[in-house]
Amino acid sequence: MSCNYRGDNFLESDKSFATSLHLISLFEAPILIFGIYIIWKKTPKLMEKVKFPIIVLHLICTWGDIFVSVLSTPVFLFPVTAGYPLGVLYYVMPTWLLCYLGYATLGHSLRSKFSKNRSEYVDRLKKELKHVEKAWLSFDGWEAKYMDKSIYAIFIYYVENFQRKSALLGIECVEGSATAANVGKLVMRMLDLYCIDKSKVLGAVTDAGSNIVAFLDRNELFHSHCSAHVLSLIIKKSAQITHIKELIAKVNRCAAFLSRSKVERGKFRERSSMLNIHGRPPLPFSDTRWGGALLLAEAFLNHYQSLSATPALQDYLMNADDLAALKKYVNVMKPFLEALNSAESDNSFCSEVLVQFSHLSNYASSLEQRSALGRCLSNETKSRYDSYVENDALLMSTYLDARFAYLPGILQRTRWEFIENSIQLYCDSIHVLNQTATGPPPKKPTLEESSFSQFVQSKRVSSHGSSVQAEMSNYKAIVLSGRPALDSSPLLFWHAHRDRFPILQKMGQHFLACTQSSAIVERLFSVCGCIVNNSRRNRMKSSTLNLHLLNASLATLQAKNEAGEMNEYDECEQSDSESEENRHEEISGEFNDDIFEEALARAMTI
């Protein structure tokens, strides 16, 4: 049935009913305002704890409720079947202007709130980063599925009061293609936004993307290859061995069936619960998930008893030989999976990379080299280990970690004396002053002092190199006599010996600010990247996109800090991991929307 612009043929009964709803909704705003007034007067202590942004959010929602239910009904609710509004503004302005007014005011209110959140965050972080001596970056790019844009998230790591801290600098789109020059412009723009001098940045921990590596090389910055990414490449290589690849394919078929059938997935969960089997079910991981093939195989074996008890999954079970082979593969790969979990932790230090790969190389060489898996792991691990040993930043950070300094056999053919020379050169290049943070200032020379005392004093000031050598000699003696606990923070050692090693403790804070991996960036994209992966939002402007992503990520980080360690965002697996970017598209954009809307709702209360 057609309907003209003003809806002249709209049924009178429907008009009367809608008008009644309009009159009822008209009293909603006064009642809400009166309720807030009563709460404010009767419970002042309660209202003192309510943040002002929450009240602003209530007012924005109230305006939206009134606009939809009173001023524009039923244009917003039934734009096709209704045809014209029943609100009071119907007699004042045309329908198109009315709709524009509603969308514009609501959109402006939300955008203003997001912009305010971002400005406050930038100002607060500027003050925190003002006195930072040296820092490391961690950044990576993500290409939207439906958008011709590359989005980069940038984190900064630094040490304050011998405690490592991290902060999100921003999430923005690269102007043009993601070349080294354009990525560099984006990074420099973010550093300028927070008034961070380029000379304060030592390097970055990222993947081995050619554009990122080229940018770091051009600016003479250290590059630490993300160890989680390297371990994932080794695991991926092992999963491509012929007989293992066939086993993984069978596991994938079972996981695909579970992801497609909601009914069978529910029955499977019931059986797992009855059998007291916990852990992540064997559902497909995202293609970009580090070590996804190995994790899926482990989940498959963990829930194999539940799979066997589910009638619909009988076709996906393995025979005895295949099952034994899969168990052997997962068991052999356990040290690599443990190393991957350690690298993904935000509490890891880059000084652990060489020691970890030394352990893995030793383990891989002990495997049966006549098997394809043993040869693959041995060759791949040794190749990665060799490249890491040539990294100056990792060598110096390992030396400055009292847990691992002067350990025999972890540097291959590299000698600790070589690292000591690098430490000496670094101290000379940055002119680290041999001064303690506490204690009385040095005495100023007086005119009465003899020429001999002035000569000795000048030698003491110019003996910077020898003082570094003395500190390294004392440091070696302390380390060899007793090391800190393996699970302790290496920064605690330098805090305890800050007066004894004024130069080395500064270097320790410089190089131990870096982590093993860029997992924090990957987790961030897992949480808020869904907004740009949705075809319904593929025309959003870059500025609006940046505000949405930044506010959602800030809200997520705030929720993590308030709740403590939330198991590294749990990779969005809080709802049984059904949102793992299902390759079979059983789960559509609605679930991703729910995750993102939750984050935005939290952002409104920041």
Side-chain angles (χ1 to χ4, degrees):
M1 184 176 95
S2 61
C3 186
N4 61 17
Y5 178 71
R6 284 296 184 180
D8 295 333
N9 59 346
F10 195 82
L11 297 178
E12 291 297 328
S13 59
D14 292 340
K15 288 180 63 177
S16 301
F17 176 72
T19 305
S20 301
L21 291 178
H22 153 61
L23 293 175
I24 294 173
S25 302
L26 192 62
F27 295 99
E28 182 175 356
I31 292 174
L32 180 60
I33 295 174
F34 179 72
I36 295 176
Y37 175 77
I38 292 299
I39 295 175
W40 190 289
K41 289 296 183 182
K42 298 298 182 182
T43 55
K45 292 184 178 180
L46 176 63
M47 294 307 296
E48 288 177 0
K49 299 180 181 179
V50 178
K51 295 181 179 180
F52 177 74
I54 297 180
I55 300 178
V56 174
L57 176 61
H58 277 297
L59 295 177
I60 293 174
C61 294
T62 302
W63 161 245
D65 196 9
I66 294 173
F67 187 86
V68 171
S69 61
V70 178
L71 302 180
S72 63
T73 304
V75 168
F76 269 66
L77 302 181
F78 313 105
V80 177
T81 59
Y84 71 103
L86 296 177
V88 295
L89 294 183
Y90 164 73
Y91 305 98
V92 179
M93 61 182 66
T95 304
W96 68 268
L97 183 58
L98 180 62
C99 294
Y100 175 79
L101 176 65
Y103 282 121
T105 52
L106 286 173
H108 178 72
S109 300
L110 294 174
R111 186 180 179 85
S112 299
K113 176 59 182 172
F114 290 164
S115 299
K116 182 182 178 182
N117 286 346
R118 183 173 186 268
S119 299
E120 291 177 351
Y121 176 79
V122 170
D123 294 339
R124 183 171 67 253
L125 193 56
K126 273 184 182 179
K127 296 178 182 179
E128 295 179 7
L129 298 175
K130 185 176 182 181
H131 303 291
V132 171
E133 290 187 5
K134 296 293 180 180
W136 287 77
L137 299 178
S138 179
F139 58 94
D140 197 3
W142 188 80
E143 191 170 331
K145 184 176 180 181
Y146 297 103
M147 307 171 71
D148 187 19
K149 297 177 182 176
S150 295
I151 305 167
Y152 274 74
I154 306 174
F155 278 83
I156 186 170
Y157 287 96
Y158 59 99
V159 174
E160 182 180 356
N161 296 327
F162 295 92
Q163 291 183 351
R164 187 177 60 192
K165 296 184 177 181
S166 63
L168 172 66
L169 295 184
I171 309 173
E172 290 200 17
C173 297
V174 176
E175 297 179 359
S177 57
T179 61
N182 291 335
V183 171
K185 290 179 182 178
L186 173 61
V187 174
M188 293 304 175
R189 187 167 68 247
M190 297 306 299
L191 294 178
D192 292 339
L193 176 64
Y194 293 91
C195 301
I196 302 173
D197 195 322
K198 173 191 167 185
S199 61
K200 291 184 176 182
V201 179
L202 275 177
V205 50
T206 66
D207 59 17
S210 58
N211 55 347
I212 296 177
V213 175
F215 158 69
L216 295 174
D217 290 342
R218 291 177 186 177
N219 291 274
E220 297 182 349
L221 299 175
F222 290 114
H223 174 237
S224 176
H225 190 178
C226 170
S227 61
H229 180 249
V230 172
L231 289 168
S232 176
L233 293 176
I234 296 176
I235 293 173
K236 186 177 181 179
K237 189 76 172 179
S238 69
Q240 291 176 351
I241 298 175
T242 304
H243 68 281
I244 297 177
K245 186 176 182 180
E246 295 173 355
L247 297 176
I248 297 297
K250 294 180 180 179
V251 174
N252 284 331
R253 286 195 290 271
C254 178
F257 175 79
L258 272 180
S259 67
R260 289 194 303 267
S261 177
K262 185 175 182 179
V263 175
E264 296 302 329
R265 191 163 61 245
K267 294 179 181 179
F268 168 77
R269 285 188 177 131
E270 290 179 2
R271 285 172 172 79
S272 294
S273 179
M274 292 172 59
L275 295 171
N276 199 25
I277 299 176
H278 305 288
R280 187 189 189 279
L283 293 173
F285 281 91
S286 167
D287 292 335
T288 58
R289 179 65 170 91
W290 287 328
L294 181 57
L295 290 171
L296 183 58
E298 186 181 50
F300 179 85
L301 292 176
N302 186 36
H303 289 267
Y304 193 79
Q305 190 176 358
S306 302
L307 296 171
S308 302
T310 306
L313 297 174
Q314 298 302 307
D315 295 337
Y316 301 98
L317 300 179
M318 295 183 177
N319 57 45
D321 293 338
D322 289 346
L323 188 61
L326 184 63
K327 288 181 179 179
K328 181 179 178 181
Y329 169 69
V330 172
N331 186 57
V332 168
M333 299 300 297
K334 273 188 177 180
F336 290 88
L337 189 57
E338 292 173 357
L340 179 61
N341 293 333
S342 174
E344 289 179 328
S345 172
D346 289 338
N347 297 323
S348 65
F349 290 86
C350 61
S351 57
E352 301 168 357
V353 174
L354 286 178
V355 185
Q356 188 70 264
F357 272 81
S358 175
H359 155 64
L360 293 176
S361 179
N362 182 66
Y363 168 76
S365 62
S366 66
L367 297 175
E368 177 58 55
Q369 298 301 305
R370 288 180 296 180
S371 66
L373 179 60
R375 290 195 303 273
C376 174
L377 292 179
S378 180
N379 295 335
E380 288 294 319
T381 307
K382 187 179 184 305
S383 174
R384 304 293 180 177
Y385 183 29
D386 291 342
S387 63
Y388 271 138
V389 172
E390 297 176 0
N391 191 307
D392 290 338
L394 294 182
L395 289 173
M396 286 192 282
S397 65
T398 306
Y399 174 85
L400 293 166
D401 191 333
R403 299 174 299 172
F404 311 124
Y406 297 103
L407 277 179
I410 64 172
L411 302 182
Q412 293 183 343
R413 293 179 297 275
T414 305
R415 300 173 60 85
W416 290 103
E417 290 78 7
F418 171 79
I419 306 179
E420 291 176 347
N421 293 333
S422 300
I423 297 286
Q424 179 75 56
L425 291 173
Y426 178 81
C427 292
D428 293 339
S429 65
I430 63 174
H431 304 290
V432 179
L433 298 179
N434 187 11
Q435 296 178 346
T436 59
T438 59
K443 292 179 59 178
K444 296 181 180 180
T446 60
L447 296 176
E448 290 77 12
E449 289 182 345
S450 64
S451 59
F452 173 74
S453 62
Q454 293 178 7
F455 171 77
V456 173
Q457 182 65 24
S458 65
K459 291 299 181 182
R460 287 179 177 177
V461 174
S462 62
S463 62
H464 170 66
S466 60
S467 64
V468 176
Q469 293 174 1
E471 286 192 20
M472 287 190 292
S473 178
N474 293 334
Y475 173 62
K476 181 178 181 179
I478 291 178
V479 165
L480 294 180
S481 62
R483 299 180 183 275
L486 191 60
D487 57 350
S488 63
S489 170
L491 292 170
L492 295 179
F493 173 87
W494 295 115
H495 180 263
H497 298 83
R498 60 188 181 279
D499 296 331
R500 188 169 185 176
F501 304 107
I503 300 177
L504 290 183
Q505 62 91 11
K506 283 182 177 291
M507 284 199 62
Q509 294 184 72
H510 293 176
F511 283 90
L512 294 176
C514 182
T515 62
Q516 282 198 52
S517 70
S518 57
I520 190 171
V521 182
E522 301 296 336
R523 290 194 294 270
L524 184 62
F525 282 137
S526 297
V527 173
C528 65
C530 53
I531 185 174
V532 292
N533 203 29
N534 194 318
S535 58
R536 289 175 291 177
R537 293 190 175 108
N538 63 345
R539 300 178 68 181
M540 184 176 291
K541 294 182 179 179
S542 299
S543 57
T544 307
L545 178 66
N546 177 40
L547 283 176
H548 277 62
L549 291 178
L550 184 63
N551 276 270
S553 58
L554 291 180
T556 305
L557 291 174
Q558 185 186 42
K560 179 188 177 185
N561 293 333
E562 291 176 354
E565 287 299 327
M566 204 175 65
N567 193 19
E568 304 170 1
Y569 293 125
D570 288 335
E571 288 284 352
C572 295
E573 294 173 8
Q574 297 174 2
S575 49
D576 230 357
S577 306
E578 287 187 28
S579 62
E580 282 277 1
E581 296 183 23
N582 198 308
R583 289 189 296 260
H584 306 281
E585 301 183 0
E586 164 71 15
I587 301 167
S588 60
E590 286 84 1
F591 189 85
N592 284 336
D593 288 346
D594 292 341
I595 296 175
F596 190 75
E597 308 299 338
E598 249 180 62
L600 289 184
R602 289 197 299 269
M604 293 298 295
T605 61
I606 294 178

